Amino acid sequence: MIKQNETIQADVLVVGGGTAGFVAAIAAARNGAKVILLEQRDHLGGTHSGGMVMMIRSMRHMKAPKSAEHKKVMITSYESSFEDEQLVFSIAQEYIDRMLEVGAAWGMTGQATARQLFDPEIAKWTIERMVVEAGVDVWFYAQVTDVLLSDNTVRGVVVENLKTRTEILAQVTIDATGDGNICAAAGASFEFGDPAEGHCQPMTLYFVMGGVKLDDTLAYIQNHPEEFSQDYVTTVLRLRDEGKPITVLPFKAKIKEALQKGDYPIPYGLKNVNPDTLTYMARPMFRNGKFRYDLISHNMDMAYNVDATDRKELTNATMGMRHVAVRMAAFYRKYVPGYEDAYLVHTAQVVGVRDSRRIVGDCTLNKDDVLAGKHFPDGIGRYGSVVDVHDKDGKQSLMLVEVGGSGWFHIPYRALLPRGVSNLLVAGRCISTDYIAQGCTRSQAACMMTGQAAGTAAALAVKSRVEPRAVNIGQLQKVLASQNQLI
Ligand SMILES: Cc1cc2nc3c(=O)[nH]c(=O)nc-3n(C[C@H](O)[C@H](O)[C@H](O)COP(=O)(O)OP(=O)(O)OC[C@H]3O[C@@H](n4cnc5c(N)ncnc54)[C@H](O)[C@@H]3O)c2cc1C
């Protein structure tokens, strides 16, 4: 086969145009670097947009629920809350403001809600506009298949298809692939899953149902306070009246009935489910400036104990999750008032992976750092979301724990530096953390923050002709602060 070979040079190469990657590319370009952004799919935003995770948690500190009942109220009211201290700003806030301008996010310009809802379809377009305006050279359909390495130093990557093999050389490469694919290929150490068994948290394939009459669903909830709790019922109805975001929780009595009749789908990888600990969420989608009470997005744990970096396992799990989505739609139609004539509009374009590799960096952020709200001298931003770890066996509910201390911890710059490898930075859900801390830093606002820090540091490294490890921390913090990030 005759294949064309080409070599291209950039200052900064960002691999993965997802939640962290698009922000990294903008930050590097705005700070003066020539940037190429490589994305294997046909859109930017990754899990944030194509994955249809339509809520950025937490731009603000987020409190933990005091009880199971309180959790229900909290889950539904946090999306419209401006109460607690906002911690993440800069490009993340600018992006939200751009989304607000075109009726693709709910809220107020210049501020974010604790859990910022947005339209994942318009997100793809807004991100494209921002990235292109920053001067980034975007490549879609560009799966990185190899890393160019010499003496533990990343020189660039390879993108290959049947027509062309392209070597892209760069002074700094940023791994924003979510799975730490570039770091792993470069020989960086990583941890995987929970410390006991290496099992990952469950995966999700978001699905959307149309033709829902949500007011009928809410009427059922109103008539069954014993199932949902009176506080939840009062809160959800008030929010609906005020046109604010709402979250609809599982219909446990219906699930029990459907389980008995064999009408409820068991998630991929499990033998049964416990209706009492099940937590999943259904939310009206925000489209063109308003919530659509006929178009409902569903987020539930669907596939257990899957390695997202294993193609065969991921293929089987994806088909397993689509099967669950189709059967869930049938369950809703048959059992849940308001869904009688509802239909499955689509499943998400991107499978929702909560965790896989965690790259071992020069510093590993751990559970104690997060829970104590630890401050680091090389902090690149503040974060204070609840730690949210989904039970890997489906036996218990998800764990939600509040960040202590002053309500936020620093993410240290060293957590973005893969140990033992040069010219490489990592951003997003696979930065250097332990299993529990990742339950916090995997949130989108934190991914955007680490993306911005990695992009900024990469541009500074290029300017100073040093490798990222040698970037002056004081200068990095000064630049981030001057661009409106709280340090
Ligand atoms: C079901 C679910 C619900 C969640 N709920 C919330 C929530 O409500 N709020 C919240 O804030 N967070 C939530 N999260 C967490 C959050 O959405 C993710 O952790 C975050 O979006 C991950 O961002 P990332 O940039 O690390 O990866 P991604 O956004 O997944 O981006 C990685 C990108 O890299 C690309 N890529 C990978 N390998 C290659 C390669 N070899 N070559 C080229 N491109 C490549 C991928 O195509 C993708 O676009 C949820 C996560 C899941 C799974």
Side-chain angles (χ1 to χ4, degrees):
M1 185 177 57
I2 300 168
K3 201 179 259 200
Q4 203 180 323
N5 284 304
E6 61 180 14
T7 304
I8 287 174
Q9 181 81 44
D11 294 333
V12 175
L13 192 56
V14 181
V15 186
T19 321
F22 91 83
V23 180
I26 292 173
R30 286 186 183 171
N31 285 291
K34 180 181 175 229
V35 184
I36 296 181
L37 173 59
L38 302 174
E39 169 52 51
Q40 66 187 358
R41 301 181 201 269
D42 64 357
H43 65 273
L44 298 177
T47 305
H48 168 83
S49 57
M52 300 197 63
V53 175
M54 47 182 232
M55 185 235 287
I56 305 171
R57 180 194 59 209
S58 305
M59 297 287 286
R60 295 172 184 271
H61 169 77
M62 203 172 138
K63 294 198 178 81
K66 295 180 182 66
S67 63
E69 292 308 297
H70 182 219
K71 183 162 102 183
K72 295 179 188 170
V73 175
M74 216 188 80
I75 283 177
T76 197
S77 57
Y78 246 123
E79 280 101 56
S80 49
S81 166
F82 291 95
E83 265 170 42
D84 295 315
E85 186 190 4
Q86 183 161 346
L87 299 167
V88 182
F89 293 90
S90 202
I91 297 174
Q93 182 62 53
E94 184 187 330
Y95 163 65
I96 291 167
D97 289 345
R98 294 276 297 252
M99 292 284 278
L100 278 160
E101 262 172 37
V102 292
W106 184 86
M108 272 189 271
T109 306
Q111 297 192 47
T113 60
R115 297 199 304 196
Q116 179 64 53
L117 274 171
F118 62 91
D119 175 347
E121 193 54 40
I122 301 298
K124 295 174 193 164
W125 172 77
T126 304
I127 293 170
E128 282 170 15
R129 301 321 313 144
M130 287 181 70
V131 168
V132 170
E133 283 165 24
V136 174
D137 184 4
V138 180
W139 295 29
F140 283 157
Y141 316 111
Q143 185 177 38
V144 170
T145 49
D146 208 356
V147 173
L148 302 167
L149 195 67
S150 58
D151 301 328
N152 292 328
T153 300
V154 174
R155 306 289 175 197
V157 301
V158 177
V159 171
E160 196 162 16
N161 58 23
L162 285 169
K163 197 175 157 203
T164 317
R165 180 182 191 276
T166 310
E167 291 195 352
I168 306 170
L169 307 176
Q171 189 173 325
V172 181
T173 298
I174 299 174
D175 182 345
T177 61
D179 289 324
N181 291 325
I182 306 304
C183 295
S189 309
F190 57 84
E191 293 176 345
F192 202 95
D194 76 287
E197 293 161 307
H199 288 181
C200 291
Q201 294 180 58
M203 290 181 183
T204 297
L205 185 64
Y206 265 72
F207 63 96
V208 176
M209 292 189 71
V212 180
K213 292 183 176 146
L214 196 69
D215 285 337
D216 292 358
T217 314
L218 292 176
Y220 171 83
I221 291 173
Q222 186 172 18
N223 293 329
H224 292 80
E226 73 294 344
E227 193 178 338
F228 294 92
S229 99
Q230 188 58 56
D231 276 354
Y232 169 77
V233 173
T234 311
T235 309
V236 88
L237 294 174
R238 174 179 57 77
L239 293 170
R240 164 71 177 99
D241 285 348
E242 292 171 358
K244 290 181 175 165
I246 58 171
T247 303
V248 178
L249 299 174
F251 296 82
K252 293 193 174 163
K254 303 283 185 194
I255 294 171
K256 281 179 191 165
E257 189 189 338
L259 274 169
Q260 274 177 357
K261 294 183 182 159
D263 285 339
Y264 191 82
I266 305 299
Y268 177 87
L270 288 188
K271 292 204 165 40
N272 48 43
V273 286
N274 180 350
D276 293 319
T277 56
L278 261 182
T279 307
Y280 62 80
M281 289 140 214
R283 296 192 176 96
M285 300 201 72
F286 193 74
R287 291 267 151 112
N288 202 22
K290 64 178 183 184
F291 287 103
R292 298 295 316 225
Y293 296 102
D294 56 348
L295 190 68
I296 312 293
S297 142
H298 297 79
N299 166 13
M300 61 183 289
D301 294 343
M302 283 178 168
Y304 285 75
N305 193 15
V306 182
D307 174 352
T309 66
D310 182 298
R311 181 189 307 212
K312 190 71 195 150
E313 280 194 32
L314 191 58
T315 301
N316 290 338
T318 303
M319 289 199 267
M321 288 192 281
R322 199 158 354 256
H323 183 66
V324 171
V326 171
R327 291 207 56 217
M328 276 304 286
F331 157 76
Y332 270 98
R333 261 192 305 273
K334 186 165 171 188
Y335 288 87
V336 180
Y339 277 78
E340 294 83 354
D341 195 29
Y343 54 93
L344 185 62
V345 180
H346 54 71
T347 50
Q349 214 173 337
V350 174
V351 165
V353 177
R354 289 190 170 78
D355 63 325
S356 58
R357 297 187 188 101
R358 299 185 306 276
I359 303 306
V360 177
D362 287 359
C363 169
T364 298
L365 186 76
N366 64 37
K367 175 186 169 195
D368 293 339
D369 301 332
V370 166
L371 296 186
K374 186 166 172 177
H375 301 181
F376 287 92
D378 61 338
I380 49 84
R382 303 177 179 189
Y383 202 56
S385 179
V386 281
V387 177
D388 169 359
V389 181
H390 290 230
D391 186 42
K392 62 188 168 58
D393 302 319
K395 289 181 185 148
Q396 293 157 31
S397 188
L398 44 86
M399 160 187 165
L400 293 176
V401 186
E402 188 170 344
V403 171
S406 40
W408 55 268
F409 58 90
H410 269 138
I411 297 185
Y413 178 58
R414 287 163 296 157
L416 315 187
L417 291 166
R419 194 195 288 166
V421 185
S422 299
N423 288 6
L424 184 63
L425 282 155
V426 58
R429 69 170 159 82
C430 53
I431 62 164
S432 187
T433 66
D434 70 10
Y435 180 65
I436 299 294
Q438 198 266 359
C440 189
T441 58
R442 70 185 180 85
S443 299
Q444 295 178 25
C447 290
M448 291 181 185
M449 185 203 290
T450 57
Q452 179 159 358
T456 308
L460 291 180
V462 170
K463 263 187 211 157
S464 320
R465 297 181 178 281
V466 295
E467 82 107 356
R469 197 162 266 105
V471 161
N472 182 304
I473 300 297
Q475 195 193 359
L476 172 62
Q477 290 170 326
K478 212 164 133 193
V479 174
L480 289 169
S482 74
Q483 294 170 355
N484 205 24
Q485 196 64 287
L486 217 52
I487 301 297

